[in-house]
Structures are given as structure tokens and as C-alpha cells.
Amino acid sequence: ITYPSQFALDLCEASGLAPGRGVVWENGVRSPSGGFFGAQEVRRARDPRLVFGFVGGPSMIKGWPIIRAAFKTLTRSDFRVELVEGSLDGSWWRGHDFSDLPGDWQVVPRFEQAQMDRFYAGIDVLLFMSQWKETFGLALREALVRGIRVIQTDSGGTTEHGATAPDDLIPIGPDPKALRTQLEAALEAHPAPVEPHPVTSFADQARAFEAVLSEALT
């Protein structure tokens, strides 16, 4: 039985699902295109402000109330925030008012896999404030492989990429103080570009499955 993370494997086997028969088989992530980092440099030169990005939508489970509360307490406005409209009908952010929040806020259109570079080239920090223990964390890894800093919660399999130190993981819960601290630190350090972090690609995923299949057949 394959699992996308060690967390998922441990949880399922502890629950009695085929103990000892599981293997970790990570999901592949689309790699950046050849022109991605050039586009990233052009955007940063055009507008040097730090840009935060959020793809989770205005739900409690993805941490939106905590994000809103943390930003509302900031005392500076020299940054931008891009919120992705992930719905098909434009309903996610309809009716939401950001006028009481510091900074420049913008809702941007949803994107397909082939257009994700356009979004990620436009941000510097991805906010991943999931309030449940997830099995993998796809968007988070899409950001890391593109040199996007991640601020994230201690949310299960999303933490196994190796890029976030354990002490920097934000505990799941309603208190926005830890997030505010990391927002302030990111703003204070800016500009502070990070190197792309290696994550499993689609080709890596295929090779890993070949190895799993070979072992199972022998």
C-alpha cells in the first residue's frame, strides 16, 4: 500500500490498515519552466515590495481567519498580498473586504498547472496555514522548488520536505501571534531570496514507483 508521506503511513498503520505492508511514495510536483527565474527577477526589479501569496481560500480549515487576524495587527504596509480565487464561479472571495488590512491586497484568478509559474513568479512567501494534519502539501512543494519561502503550520505530511526547521513550524490553533512574528521577520529580512529546494518531480515519482513495483513483483 503506497502513501504520499511517512505521516500518512504511520497514521494508517497505527489505525490497523495492513501494518508492515506500506511504503512511502511521494507525489510528483511540476518543475519550474526554463524562463521562471528570469520572470521572477523582472517582477522583483519592477516592484521591490515583499509579496505574500495564499492559495487556500477563505476557510477555517486552511487558516484564513488566523491569516487575517495576524495581518490586521501589523504596523507597516510596505508589502502586497495575492489571494488565489480557486473556485470555478468566482465565489471564494466574493464579498470579502480587505480595506481594514495593511498592505496592498489583490485577488488573482485561479490557474491551471501549465500557468502556475506566472503566479509563483509574482510572490516571495507562500502562506500555508492549514489547520489539520494533511497527508502531503502539494502547493507548498510547488513553491519550494521555485525558491519561494514558506511559512507553514505543523500540519502532518506537509512538513516532510526538509526545508522548514522544526522550531519554525507554527502550531495548529487559533492564536495569530506566531504567524505575526514570522510575517514581521520576513518583512524585516526582505530582500532575502532563497535557493530552490529540491522536491520530488514527476520523473522522480515514476522512478520511485518502478522501484516499488520491482520489489513487489520479486
Side-chain angles (χ1 to χ4, degrees), residues 21-193:
R21 295 182 57 193
V23 294
V24 175
W25 180 38
E26 285 195 348
N27 296 321
V29 171
R30 189 184 187 97
S31 300
S33 65
F36 173 80
F37 295 104
Q40 191 179 58
E41 289 180 5
V42 168
R43 188 271 304 171
R44 288 172 174 170
R46 184 176 63 247
D47 186 344
R49 290 179 295 174
L50 182 68
V51 184
F52 296 97
F54 180 58
V55 301
S59 69
M60 181 63 190
I61 200 68
K62 291 297 185 179
W64 167 244
I66 300 164
I67 293 172
R68 197 184 203 291
F71 273 102
K72 191 167 185 177
T73 61
L74 292 182
T75 58
R76 54 191 296 178
S77 298
D78 54 337
F79 59 86
R80 296 175 50 236
V81 185
E82 292 199 352
L83 308 170
V84 175
E85 174 54 70
S87 71
L88 290 171
D89 60 359
S91 62
W92 270 16
W93 297 104
R94 186 182 301 150
H96 284 261
D97 181 14
F98 312 109
S99 61
D100 60 334
L101 300 176
D104 181 7
W105 292 70
Q106 181 181 12
V107 176
V108 300
R110 69 193 305 271
F111 51 85
E112 304 293 339
Q113 282 270 308
Q115 289 89 46
M116 72 166 65
D117 277 356
R118 186 182 307 169
F119 168 71
Y120 285 115
I123 69 171
D124 302 295
V125 179
L126 179 73
L127 304 175
F128 196 94
M129 291 297 295
S130 178
Q131 295 297 293
W132 71 299
K133 297 288 188 176
E134 301 198 17
T135 59
F136 185 65
L138 180 64
L140 184 148
R141 285 165 167 83
E142 291 170 347
L144 289 174
V145 77
R146 289 166 171 79
I148 305 300
R149 191 181 304 276
V150 170
I151 295 177
Q152 71 167 109
T153 50
D154 187 5
S155 45
T158 69
T159 69
E160 295 178 18
H161 47 72
T164 304
D167 290 345
D168 291 332
L169 295 173
I170 297 174
I172 289 175
D175 191 345
K177 291 179 182 177
L179 174 57
R180 173 182 171 166
T181 297
Q182 292 205 27
L183 295 177
E184 291 175 334
L187 286 164
E188 188 65 29
H190 184 68

